[in-house]
Amino acid sequence: MTITDTSSAAPTVRKLSSLQLASRYGTMLALLLLILFNLAMTPNFLSWQTVNVNLTQVAAIVIVATGMTLVIATGGIDLSVGSLMAISGAVAPMIFLDTLVPIADPVLAVALAFVLPILVTMAFGWFNGMLVTRYAIQPIVATLVLFIAGRGIAQVITNGNLQVFKNPGFQFIAMGQIAGIPAQVALMLVVAAAAFAVMRYTMFGRQVLAVGGNEKAARLAGIPVRRIKILVYVISGALAGLAGLVVVARNSASDANLVGLGMELDAIAAVAVGGSLLSGGRANIIGTLLGALVIQLVRYTLLANGVPDAAALVVKAGLIVLAVYVQQRADRS
């Protein structure tokens, strides 16, 4: 009779289960702990003003990070999103301020200010996708092109000038309310919900994950890999353009030097903390939303308790490293 020693087996199972639980629910737990800490230590944390500030600050990040989640799910990355926000934010005011072409109808001008900038950033997203697919350039290098050149394009469009404006019709996207909810927060939720539905219930969503999981197998299975990759970069460009409109509408000004600055890092951090694999094959849209909230609350918590803002950058980096570590260990299990 062979006697099997199982004394070390149980701890191993428990360890693997803990890693898997941390990978799946760690972001939610971190968000809960941050909320509990602030309830105990931060005055007026539950005031409407505090909630409103945190939600409006995170709205643009979530919109951009949603597009970033789709790109990363295919095994890519998009470093150009911050610069595309700057381009979108530069083009929009020039339309309703009659800087480009005089438009007599103010309603039409505002409508075009929403549509044309997003079409422009979608075109740049297509450019990124073509570099990645047709010319087989690594995504980090391909999108680095517009990361560098895109902000220069925005500066050329505006001649480096600050565009200050006041247009209630255009600024509703950031300053208005829908059923008592800030319009930009409602927009954030709509974008996240739409992306969640697409990834969960559509063929496109399954194809995105298949491409990121095993591109060669996806191609052999008849999935149009090139088209899928181009589409996710186009979507990322569109959402970056939308976020750019939100930011300039909120600030009542467009500054090509500052709009979207560092947004690509915030978006990647939200995706990583939210549980999506940076190597592709997984897209956790809800996790990305929660990850962005965690990052925002970390920054708010530090500032509210007298810690310099620079410390938030260090904590953000630590969160990314921890998230990636947990993902890798959970996947190996």
Side-chain angles (χ1 to χ4, degrees), residues 249-263:
R250 183 172 64 214
N251 295 337
S252 302
S254 172
D255 187 345
N257 297 303
L258 297 178
V259 173
L261 188 64
M263 183 61 76

Side-chain angles (χ1 to χ4, degrees), residues 22-325:
S23 178
R24 181 170 297 183
Y25 302 110
T27 308
M28 190 179 300
L29 178 60
L31 182 61
L32 178 62
L33 291 175
L34 281 168
I35 292 173
L36 292 175
F37 177 85
N38 280 288
L39 286 174
M41 303 298 296
T42 306
N44 302 317
F45 176 68
L46 282 183
S47 68
W48 170 245
Q49 182 178 3
T50 300
V51 173
N52 183 65
V53 166
N54 280 294
L55 288 178
T56 53
Q57 287 293 322
V58 84
I61 299 175
V62 171
I63 293 171
V64 175
T66 299
M68 185 72 75
T69 302
L70 301 188
V71 172
I72 288 177
T74 64
I77 200 161
D78 191 352
L79 298 181
S80 70
V81 289
S83 296
L84 294 186
M85 287 178 63
I87 292 174
S88 173
V91 172
M94 298 184 75
I95 297 173
F96 60 74
L97 292 176
D98 295 336
T99 307
L100 290 177
V101 179
I103 301 175
D105 188 346
V107 176
L108 177 60
V110 170
L112 290 176
F114 283 118
V115 174
L116 289 183
I118 293 178
L119 291 177
V120 170
T121 55
M122 288 174 68
F124 281 118
W126 174 86
F127 172 78
N128 285 334
M130 288 297 290
L131 290 181
V132 171
T133 57
R134 183 169 183 176
Y135 299 101
I137 299 176
Q138 291 183 345
I140 194 170
V141 177
T143 57
L144 187 63
V145 173
L146 281 175
F147 170 80
I148 298 170
R151 195 165 298 278
I153 293 172
Q155 292 169 345
V156 169
I157 292 173
T158 62
N159 290 320
N161 297 324
L162 175 68
Q163 298 182 98
V164 180
F165 58 85
K166 185 177 181 181
N167 188 307
F170 176 76
Q171 291 181 272
F172 180 84
I173 192 175
M175 311 294 284
Q177 290 192 349
I178 301 174
I181 301 174
Q184 58 185 309
V185 176
L187 182 62
M188 170 192 77
L189 295 175
V190 168
V191 167
F196 175 82
V198 167
M199 294 304 298
R200 175 64 68 90
Y201 301 112
T202 70
M203 179 65 71
F204 172 75
R206 292 189 286 273
Q207 290 176 336
V208 166
L209 299 181
V211 170
N214 190 323
E215 182 175 328
K216 183 177 180 180
R219 185 175 285 107
L220 292 173
I223 294 175
V225 173
R226 177 179 170 184
R227 187 189 310 166
I228 294 297
K229 284 189 172 184
I230 291 176
L231 277 174
V232 296
Y233 282 101
V234 170
I235 293 170
S236 180
L239 293 181
L242 180 60
L245 299 182
V246 169
V247 170
V248 297
R250 183 172 64 214
N251 295 337
S252 302
S254 172
D255 187 345
N257 297 303
L258 297 178
V259 173
L261 188 64
M263 183 61 76
E264 58 283 331
L265 302 181
D266 286 335
I268 294 170
V271 175
V273 173
S276 295
L277 289 177
L278 296 183
S279 57
R282 183 188 300 171
N284 190 340
I285 301 295
I286 302 302
T288 294
L289 171 62
L290 295 177
L293 288 171
V294 166
I295 292 170
Q296 171 60 28
L297 269 184
V298 164
R299 181 172 183 269
Y300 170 82
T301 302
L302 293 174
L303 289 175
N305 289 276
V307 180
D309 192 31
L313 299 176
V314 178
V315 175
K316 186 189 303 183
L319 286 173
I320 296 173
V321 172
L322 179 62
V324 173
Y325 172 77

